[in-house]
Amino acid sequence: MEQNNSLPPFQGIVLPSVKGAMTPGMPIFSPMMPYGSGLTPQPVTNTNSLSLLEEQQRQQQQQASSQQAGVPGGLGQTPQLYHSQTVTTTTLPGNTPLYTATPLTPMTPITPATPASESSGIVPQLQNIVSTVNLGCKLDLKTIALRARNAEYNPKAKMWAHSSYKACCFGSENQSRLAARKYARVVQKLGFPAKFLDFKIQNMVGSCDVKFPIRLEGLVLTHQQFSSYEPELFPGLIYRMIKPRIVLLIFVSGKVVLTGAKVRGEIYEAFENIYPILKGFRKTT
Amino acid sequence: MCLPHTVLRLDRIGDVLALPKVQCPNHPDAMLVEDYRAGDMICPECGLVVGDRVIDVGSEWRTFTNEKATQDPSRVGDAQNPLLNGGDLSTMISKGTGAASFDEFGNSKYQNRRTMSSSDRAMLNAFKEITTMADRINLPRNIIDRTNNLFKQVYEQKSLKGRANDAIASACLYIACRQEGVPRTFKEICAVSRISKKEIGRCFKLILKALETSVDLITTGDFMSRFCSNLGLPKQVQMAATYIARKAVELDLVPGRSPISVAAAAIYMASQASAEKKTQKEIGDIAGVADVTIRQSYRLIYPRAADLFPPDFKFDTPVDKLPQL
């Protein structure tokens, strides 16, 4: 979809400081920045890397705003915005702060803190998270689509907005929250009084490999009430687990895709449930 | 005289409810013999008169009319279809014959028959559609009956009410073929229906869930006789192809491939080894698979071709001369 490029494009990374926004200088938040770059020593209140980055941004912004003139009106409220969000951020389970949260790089696998996998040494990797956030104000889609670089009408981009106050964003865990935050910033810069309410993860998708071929015909015979295997329609077996309520796509090659989870633990639990069953239907030849 | 105690049994014929059947209490499995002259149902094992004064729903008198077979004056109504309609005993107004039935403009007074059962109108329409579809591919009466029963069950449940009736009918036809052991591919059902394969597939899954049934997995052998006779292949080739496909699946040479594709590749291999060689395109047209798909599956089975043929097969083209794609 063609976007209007009359304005200089927003860099995908949005900052409260004016310095990084319009000029093509190095944004303060860069993918190269190591975690805890030592700009300001921060007491680590929670292990969420997100909050730490926000702290950094806040510090820089406070420094920058004293230097800059002509701070846009929306800027003043952002410290409070970020601050309030920091407090309400929940640490997701199994989160280690040992990676830089960048919206551009693919997510690196997070190992769970719990030693859950005695039976299978395999951990499903999360591939995608879908979440919604309520921006709390009416959005003029056309303006946003034209003026913000990452916004398009179709959901190929990182975020897309309903006209009815909500925005959905796709991405990887924690980054989705950050991305949502950034998007709210973008929208704010365009002049809408955006707020950041009700961030909720709607769906999580994970995938893994059991490393052996599977006899799907056997599986569908024994687990008839949960499985649906129609080779004419789809080459994989669709297994609808009841508890936790997860849908698994199981393929002959041994690859498994799990979806429908609201929290990461459901994906792991579902995989631990299915692994012994799959081992029983391992192909012997 | 008190009637002997009869046992009323609700039969399930393949998950479908049939009429209540009377049966002899001593011999529940015996087929009752109907004595039409006395109106009795008699058990052939012990001679017990099970049903008394059975009402005969046949003709009232014998008719010898050869002409106009549609006008049979002995029938007072259409043939009953109690399984499906719930007993239609309403009266319809037919077209008038005398002069009095026309008003001044020449239009007939007494409008045509009103909707006799508006609630079942959609169902009757669907039955007509099912019969039409089944006729196109020459399906026997038992499959049509099973389809009608499935449709009735789904319709009464109302869980798929929003879906197009034609889509549900097509999916019911597919399920009925599967349940009778003669599955038709989705593409074959698509060919006789206006509904897309995707929609039929969706309705199929929804119906299985709604009726809480399941169907057996399709195998390569289910389609061999149909595909081979459509291609005009002799029996030996058909048997060889069946054997090849079965062996290929047993040896797991084609993991993850649709059974239709494997069947098509097996037919190709068998026909190429015999005198009746068929091209991939011809087989692809009959089976509803693309010829590249046949090529893919053929490449997988080609290396073990020598093991796949039945031992008593007469080769017109030896195994090493089979085409290599």
Side-chain angles (χ1 to χ4, degrees):
Chain A
M1 177 157 272
E2 309 298 323
Q3 297 301 322
N4 188 348
N5 45 15
S6 59
L7 290 171
F10 260 102
Q11 285 156 356
I13 302 134
V14 184
L15 287 179
S17 88
V18 177
K19 183 174 78 174
M22 290 299 178
T23 60
M26 165 108 158
I28 294 177
F29 173 60
S30 88
M32 303 306 155
M33 190 195 309
Y35 175 74
S37 66
L39 279 171
T40 39
Q42 296 290 336
V44 180
T45 47
N46 53 12
T47 54
N48 193 342
S49 66
L50 202 63
S51 62
L52 254 136
L53 282 159
E54 290 158 3
E55 297 271 77
Q56 288 170 1
Q57 289 165 8
R58 195 151 43 97
Q59 296 287 328
Q60 289 148 23
Q61 173 226 313
Q62 280 163 3
Q63 292 164 8
S65 59
S66 59
Q67 305 161 14
Q68 301 290 330
V71 174
L75 202 53
Q77 47 175 239
T78 44
Q80 288 90 0
L81 181 70
Y82 276 90
H83 183 63
S84 65
Q85 288 310 309
T86 316
V87 172
T88 57
T89 303
T90 52
T91 18
L92 293 158
N95 180 27
T96 62
L98 294 173
Y99 74 106
T100 329
T102 59
L104 302 174
T105 58
M107 202 193 79
T108 52
I110 298 177
T111 53
T114 56
S117 24
E118 290 95 272
S119 53
S120 70
I122 307 165
V123 172
Q125 318 292 15
L126 287 166
Q127 303 291 348
N128 193 23
I129 316 249
V130 176
S131 49
T132 55
V133 67
N134 188 350
L135 290 181
C137 69
K138 229 175 163 51
L139 298 171
D140 183 6
L141 283 179
K142 198 151 158 237
T143 321
I144 294 176
L146 293 178
R147 296 178 60 191
R149 185 150 144 268
N150 276 355
E152 298 174 9
Y153 272 122
N154 55 12
K156 291 266 172 57
K158 298 238 331 265
M159 293 204 64
W160 58 284
H162 289 283
S163 64
S164 57
Y165 323 133
K166 291 204 204 271
C168 298
C169 86
F170 311 96
S172 298
E173 230 198 4
N174 287 357
Q175 294 167 16
S176 67
R177 200 189 175 98
L178 183 63
R181 204 76 61 78
K182 292 194 165 128
Y183 189 75
R185 196 74 201 93
V186 170
V187 167
Q188 222 172 30
K189 292 221 90 169
L190 292 175
F192 301 102
K195 296 187 272 295
F196 197 83
L197 312 165
D198 309 325
F199 178 83
K200 181 170 178 242
I201 293 183
Q202 303 290 358
N203 184 27
M204 299 171 92
V205 181
S207 71
C208 57
D209 188 4
V210 300
K211 307 269 195 296
F212 54 79
I214 303 173
R215 275 186 300 117
L216 298 182
E217 315 80 46
L219 183 56
V220 77
L221 276 175
T222 47
H223 291 76
Q224 246 168 15
Q225 59 270 52
F226 308 114
S227 326
S228 155
Y229 177 45
E230 282 300 317
E232 277 189 89
L233 293 178
F234 187 66
L237 189 153
I238 304 171
Y239 192 101
R240 295 181 189 270
M241 201 178 276
I242 311 279
K243 178 186 171 358
R245 209 166 69 83
I246 301 275
V247 174
L248 299 90
L249 303 174
I250 304 169
F251 295 90
V252 181
S253 57
K255 301 259 187 344
V256 180
V257 173
L258 309 94
T259 181
K262 287 274 192 289
V263 291
R264 191 208 295 248
E266 284 177 6
I267 299 259
Y268 296 142
E269 192 188 335
F271 183 69
E272 293 303 318
N273 286 348
I274 199 82
Y275 189 73
I277 299 173
L278 293 180
K279 272 206 290 198
F281 288 103
R282 181 184 194 139
K283 274 197 191 162
T284 46
T285 52
Chain B
M1 176 180 106
C2 66
L3 282 170
H5 173 64
T6 58
V7 175
L8 213 63
R9 183 179 72 177
L10 291 175
D11 255 66
R12 293 195 87 81
I13 305 174
D15 303 341
V16 159
L17 216 55
L19 279 179
K21 250 171 66 164
V22 292
Q23 52 177 133
C24 173
N26 303 320
H27 306 100
D29 291 325
M31 288 286 291
L32 299 176
V33 173
E34 192 175 309
D35 182 7
Y36 64 93
R37 267 176 293 179
D40 295 335
M41 306 268 281
I42 306 174
C43 168
E45 312 267 334
C46 60
L48 185 67
V49 174
V50 181
D52 205 1
R53 299 180 211 275
V54 173
I55 296 175
D56 182 21
V57 293
S59 294
E60 287 177 10
W61 49 81
R62 295 184 295 177
T63 50
F64 293 102
T65 49
N66 303 333
E67 77 286 340
K68 280 186 273 185
T70 51
Q71 275 190 19
D72 186 2
S74 60
R75 294 223 73 101
V76 295
D78 210 355
Q80 260 193 335
N81 207 346
L83 276 168
L84 304 177
N85 278 1
D88 175 39
L89 297 168
S90 59
T91 307
M92 300 175 294
I93 300 174
S94 68
K95 285 201 289 246
T97 47
S101 64
F102 293 95
D103 61 11
E104 55 257 23
F105 295 111
N107 301 325
S108 56
K109 293 187 205 173
Y110 310 124
Q111 301 296 331
N112 275 345
R113 53 184 76 167
R114 299 254 167 235
T115 51
M116 40 186 177
S117 46
S118 49
S119 61
D120 291 333
R121 179 136 297 257
M123 213 158 71
L124 282 172
N125 242 346
F127 293 157
K128 198 157 79 83
E129 187 63 33
I130 287 171
T131 317
T132 315
M133 283 197 294
D135 264 348
R136 291 194 188 121
I137 40 177
N138 300 319
L139 289 175
R141 189 71 222 170
N142 59 335
I143 294 187
I144 301 178
D145 287 338
R146 193 181 268 270
T147 312
N148 287 344
N149 273 318
L150 284 169
F151 187 88
K152 178 177 193 212
Q153 284 185 307
V154 169
Y155 192 73
E156 283 176 349
Q157 234 202 30
K158 296 198 190 308
S159 48
L160 276 85
K161 199 162 178 208
R163 301 265 168 191
N165 270 345
D166 284 348
I168 302 182
S170 309
C172 285
L173 189 61
Y174 178 81
I175 297 176
C177 292
R178 272 259 223 156
Q179 285 180 338
E180 290 283 329
V182 284
R184 299 293 189 271
T185 62
F186 276 108
K187 289 191 175 162
E188 284 174 314
I189 304 286
C190 268
V192 299
S193 164
R194 65 177 180 89
I195 310 288
S196 67
K197 177 174 179 244
K198 197 154 110 166
E199 186 59 29
I200 300 182
R202 277 204 207 115
C203 288
F204 164 73
K205 286 191 218 164
L206 288 171
I207 293 175
L208 285 188
K209 198 160 198 183
L211 299 181
E212 287 178 7
T213 40
S214 65
V215 287
D216 289 334
L217 208 53
I218 52 175
T219 59
T220 51
D222 297 331
F223 306 97
M224 280 304 175
S225 64
R226 209 167 348 119
F227 290 168
C228 290
S229 38
N230 283 346
L231 287 163
L233 293 171
K235 192 82 171 65
Q236 285 79 20
V237 180
Q238 176 184 324
M239 280 166 43
T242 313
Y243 188 89
I244 292 173
R246 204 187 65 218
K247 263 319 241 276
V249 173
E250 274 173 22
L251 298 173
D252 197 27
L253 302 172
V254 283
R257 299 275 160 190
S258 166
I260 320 288
S261 320
V262 177
I267 294 176
Y268 180 68
M269 185 179 267
S271 74
Q272 289 292 328
S274 73
E276 307 266 335
K277 294 180 177 26
K278 298 287 170 190
T279 61
Q280 287 180 344
K281 188 167 179 332
E282 286 173 337
I283 301 177
D285 275 342
I286 299 282
V289 291
D291 53 345
V292 286
T293 313
I294 303 181
R295 215 170 299 157
Q296 298 273 25
S297 302
Y298 181 77
R299 282 199 198 115
L300 292 171
I301 61 176
Y302 179 76
R304 303 282 299 267
D307 303 324
L308 295 177
F309 275 95
D312 53 350
F313 184 71
K314 293 192 181 34
F315 287 86
D316 190 80
T317 313
V319 181
D320 41 353
K321 297 273 191 344
L322 279 176
Q324 194 176 9
L325 302 158

